[in-house]
Amino acid sequence: NGIGYGLDGYCCEVGDKLKLQSDKPINYTSIAIKGLLFNFKPRNATVIVDGKKYEHHYVWLVPTMKGRFYGGGLMIAPNQDRLSDEVSVVVYQSKSRISSLMTFRYVPTGQHIKKKKMVKIYTGKEIENWTYWWNDKNETFMEGLYYDEYLAGAPYIPVTKGAFYGW
């Protein structure tokens, strides 16, 4: 249904570490909230959709979606039709951790898209090579799966070609 970057990658990293420590079920909602409040740092992102370039700052999430839901019931792209030949790129951005957290509660119902300054949605047929995060030294990272601030070694495969980033 979708591929997420940013806080999503952080949640996967923390969840994987917790799985190694215990057999208890992983609560990704709790990980996301703690990340929003304390540990995860928002980044800058450049997204290219159908040849148009969009620059964003203080980005928390950048999922590219073929369906409306991901993450166990989060309606991150409520207007996306999985039968369409287009995908939606959702950019969730804010300078404020508290504001990001307060708006995040609306994601399960899709009401977060009413926050136009915080949530941008681009639809298109082709998501081109996009520069994902910059670190504090403004060095550009290569495309791939990110856990925190390092590349997990996965090859870049265009989302719109029916594939995804993989191991």
Side-chain angles (χ1 to χ4, degrees):
N1 275 345
I3 300 167
Y5 302 95
L7 186 62
D8 293 3
Y10 168 81
C11 290
C12 290
E13 177 189 22
V14 172
D16 288 348
K17 287 178 182 177
L18 290 173
K19 283 179 189 176
L20 295 175
Q21 298 171 1
S22 173
D23 290 333
K24 292 181 182 178
I26 306 301
N27 185 335
Y28 287 98
T29 302
S30 173
I31 295 169
I33 291 169
K34 289 175 186 174
L36 273 169
L37 287 175
F38 307 112
N39 301 318
F40 182 78
K41 295 184 296 184
R43 304 288 194 270
N44 299 326
T46 301
V47 180
I48 303 170
V49 180
D50 290 342
K52 294 180 184 173
K53 184 176 179 180
Y54 304 95
E55 305 255 350
H56 294 279
H57 305 282
Y58 303 100
V59 176
W60 296 91
L61 291 170
V62 186
T64 299
M65 301 297 296
K66 183 65 177 162
R68 294 185 301 159
F69 295 91
Y70 80 151
L74 297 175
M75 192 187 310
I76 196 73
N79 298 324
Q80 176 62 36
D81 176 5
R82 66 181 180 84
L83 301 177
S84 168
D85 60 350
E86 294 187 327
V87 295
S88 294
V89 178
V90 181
V91 180
Y92 190 96
Q93 61 188 2
S94 176
K95 287 184 181 181
S96 166
R97 288 181 181 273
I98 298 299
S99 178
S100 295
L101 180 61
M102 296 306 291
T103 300
F104 194 75
R105 66 188 167 143
Y106 297 115
V107 173
T109 61
Q111 298 302 308
H112 63 291
I113 65 170
K114 293 180 180 178
K115 304 287 187 179
K116 300 289 184 192
K117 288 185 179 180
M118 185 178 291
V119 179
K120 306 290 184 200
I121 299 180
Y122 305 105
T123 58
K125 293 184 178 184
E126 188 150 341
I127 311 305
E128 294 180 28
N129 181 18
W130 33 301
T131 304
Y132 188 50
W133 301 132
W134 289 277
N135 65 12
D136 295 333
K137 298 175 189 171
N138 275 345
E139 297 170 319
T140 303
F141 287 116
M142 294 177 60
E143 294 79 13
L145 287 172
Y146 285 88
Y147 284 164
D148 198 12
E149 293 195 31
Y150 65 90
L151 182 63
Y156 173 74
I157 305 167
V159 177
T160 53
K161 302 300 182 200
F164 57 92
Y165 289 80
W167 283 267

